[in-house]
Amino acid sequence: MHQFTITDKIKQLDIQDIKENLFHYSYDSKSLKSLVKSNTSKEDISYISAYSSFKGEVYENIVYELLMQYAQEESEITRFVLKGPYQDKENLYIKSGLLIDRSSQIVYKSAYKDISEFDALFFTKDSLYFVEMSTSKKTSSLNKRLAKKYALLKMIFPTLNINALIVVTKGSVGLRNFPTYATIWLTNDLEDEELIEKIIFAKKVKNDVQTLKPPRNNKFVEALKVKYKKFQYFPTLEWILNKSRENPKFPVDLKFFSSAKLGLYFDIFTKLYIGYITTQEFLTFYEDFNLKIKSDRIIVTIEKVNQTQLDIVYYAKETNGKLKRIRLEENNISVKDKELDGFTNAEVRFFMKVLEEKHHLTVDNVKHILNNMSLIK
């Protein structure tokens, strides 16, 4: 992996020659503007939260602008993906693929939903680097997000090495916990409050058209011009379900989940669907369960519950439309609502149509899986 070195200009967040460009980006300033206009105290938790979030947006755009300059000068970088005010929006409503979303960010979409977002992407001769930026001093949540992004990029760019460039501020903690494919850059804190306030109250530039021309350089490419291997979200989940159930010796072939490819799928999807049980059967595991369930099917998944642990997790679609995530641990029962417009709800709706009688799991089947989860390496 080539070790890209941070320049003094990026380290110091020197924006003198790109300051005006920052006003062309799309910002979510509505809530913060409202708090400022109502003279909300800067010590108020709502103000601190809104200001911190907005400051993070400005920081991301500053670093992106500086990276554009860096890419022009760095000979190892062969292509750099455009976003924000530099991106042509004519393909805004494409359903799936690597593209620019409504907020001008680089995303990979499936069925109109964002699978992953990337703060920046650039290529070398044999590698792809995805960039993550943050002003938070705590980096644990940023670190957790990397696995999904890495896995997805590995799927759609199978012939390239996938690496990450992490840009955070001095004083950030947990930097030693990042994976070996990550390069860490440390910048100064963004402390230009006058600039931030000007951006908050700047007249909004129309963000449905390209408002800035990128520098004349062949390295700059639009997301939609990048060639990659298509990743089909729902068909892949269905393929995993059927493949895991086709071994005649086992109701669910746990060793199927042990390959490196399935490891990437766990990172992308978090949970992989293996079948369903009936409400009556579920009472064997959770005798106090009393929800009214649609279609009398409780979906069974193998879920990556943290960085190192897999477990059986159940999804119950109620007759009122709500979706519950249920995890049964020895000393703890966790029941949580899932967002109605989230990916899990979309997945469950999909599997409610896909699951057939052959996908039914008995109580003994589920117990066998629970007792043999260690077969998944």
Side-chain angles (χ1 to χ4, degrees):
M1 178 176 74
H2 181 79
Q3 288 291 337
F4 289 103
T5 305
I6 190 171
T7 62
D8 282 337
K9 185 172 186 178
I10 297 174
K11 193 180 295 182
Q12 305 298 333
L13 299 180
D14 181 353
I15 60 169
Q16 289 308 309
D17 57 343
I18 52 112
K19 187 177 287 189
E20 288 305 311
N21 294 354
L22 300 173
F23 292 86
H24 288 257
Y25 286 81
S26 176
Y27 295 93
D28 183 11
S29 60
K30 190 175 180 181
S31 60
L32 182 56
K33 196 181 294 183
S34 174
L35 291 169
V36 173
K37 285 182 176 178
S38 61
N39 293 317
T40 303
S41 169
K42 291 186 177 182
E43 306 301 318
D44 190 286
I45 188 67
S46 60
Y47 181 89
I48 294 170
S49 176
Y51 187 83
S52 176
S53 177
F54 187 82
K55 184 177 176 180
E57 289 185 56
V58 177
Y59 177 82
E60 179 185 323
N61 294 335
I62 288 172
V63 175
Y64 182 81
E65 285 282 334
L66 294 172
L67 274 175
M68 285 184 72
Q69 294 183 341
Y70 183 88
Q72 293 178 77
E73 299 161 4
E74 174 54 66
S75 60
E76 289 286 331
I77 295 176
T78 57
R79 287 180 296 163
F80 186 94
V81 179
L82 295 168
K83 72 169 190 178
Y86 299 100
Q87 174 68 41
D88 187 351
K89 304 294 176 58
E90 64 182 20
N91 296 299
L92 190 64
Y93 301 107
I94 286 182
K95 184 177 179 180
S96 300
L98 188 68
L99 46 86
I100 299 297
D101 70 0
R102 290 173 184 269
S103 59
S104 305
Q105 298 298 314
I106 304 166
V107 298
Y108 192 90
K109 275 183 181 287
S110 179
Y112 293 114
K113 286 184 175 291
D114 294 359
I115 300 178
S116 271
E117 179 182 312
F118 306 96
D119 292 342
L121 290 174
F122 62 85
F123 296 82
T124 64
K125 185 172 65 174
D126 60 1
S127 302
L128 167 61
Y129 286 75
F130 66 99
V131 185
E132 292 297 304
M133 314 165 194
S134 176
T135 53
S136 173
K137 300 299 182 185
K138 296 178 181 178
T139 60
S140 58
S141 61
L142 187 156
N143 200 345
K144 287 176 185 175
R145 294 197 299 270
L146 296 188
K148 179 176 181 178
K149 296 171 191 277
Y150 176 91
L152 175 63
L153 291 173
K154 197 67 184 168
M155 285 292 174
I156 65 176
F157 296 100
T159 63
L160 296 178
N161 299 315
I162 307 299
N163 300 305
L165 174 60
I166 310 300
V167 188
V168 291
T169 55
K170 290 178 181 177
S172 296
V173 297
L175 300 182
R176 292 183 180 179
N177 298 326
F178 281 99
T180 54
Y181 60 77
T183 297
I184 314 294
W185 281 3
L186 295 175
T187 74
N188 290 345
D189 287 312
L190 174 57
E191 295 176 331
D192 192 339
E193 294 188 12
E194 182 182 350
L195 170 68
I196 295 171
E197 190 161 324
K198 282 182 179 178
I199 294 175
I200 293 170
F201 290 101
K203 187 176 180 182
K204 194 171 183 180
V205 177
K206 285 182 70 177
N207 63 359
D208 58 345
V209 294
Q210 187 179 42
T211 59
L212 287 176
K213 290 287 184 186
R216 293 176 67 103
N217 193 305
N218 291 335
K219 291 182 180 183
F220 294 122
V221 295
E222 292 185 10
L224 284 153
K225 300 290 175 64
V226 175
K227 292 182 179 179
Y228 56 89
K229 183 180 178 182
K230 288 283 174 64
F231 174 74
Q232 296 182 302
Y233 194 91
F234 291 103
T236 300
L237 278 173
E238 185 177 4
W239 174 82
I240 293 168
L241 165 70
N242 290 324
K243 199 72 177 172
S244 70
R245 302 298 300 271
E246 72 178 17
N247 190 327
K249 294 181 180 179
F250 308 102
V252 175
D253 184 1
L254 294 178
K255 287 192 175 180
F256 163 72
F257 293 99
S258 295
S259 70
K261 187 173 186 178
L262 266 291
L264 293 176
Y265 285 140
F266 271 116
D267 284 335
I268 294 171
F269 296 113
T270 305
K271 56 194 170 299
L272 302 178
Y273 294 77
I274 57 174
Y276 72 92
I277 59 175
T278 66
T279 308
Q280 190 62 41
E281 289 167 328
F282 189 55
L283 289 170
T284 305
F285 301 103
Y286 183 16
E287 60 184 21
D288 293 330
F289 182 75
N290 60 0
L291 299 177
K292 293 181 180 179
I293 297 304
K294 190 175 182 180
S295 305
D296 193 31
R297 288 177 171 182
I298 293 172
I299 291 179
V300 185
T301 72
I302 299 176
E303 185 163 323
K304 190 172 184 179
V305 293
N306 57 44
Q307 294 292 82
T308 59
Q309 185 184 6
L310 299 175
D311 197 5
I312 291 287
V313 176
Y314 307 90
Y315 288 88
K317 188 75 169 177
E318 298 180 79
T319 53
N320 63 10
K322 291 184 178 179
L323 178 64
K324 292 286 196 292
R325 175 191 184 273
I326 306 168
R327 185 182 177 202
L328 308 176
E329 296 179 87
E330 190 172 341
N331 299 312
N332 181 47
I333 294 175
S334 169
V335 181
K336 296 179 179 177
D337 284 310
K338 298 301 292 183
E339 293 178 10
L340 288 175
D341 60 348
F343 250 115
T344 301
N345 242 301
E347 291 169 6
V348 169
R349 285 195 298 272
F350 173 76
F351 277 103
M352 282 295 191
K353 298 173 184 175
V354 165
L355 289 170
E356 302 174 18
E357 181 63 32
K358 66 180 180 180
H359 298 123
H360 175 246
L361 292 166
T362 65
V363 170
D364 286 341
N365 292 158
V366 175
K367 286 181 178 178
H368 177 81
I369 296 166
L370 285 165
N371 292 332
N372 292 277
M373 199 73 80
S374 60
L375 291 173
I376 304 175
K377 304 295 184 184

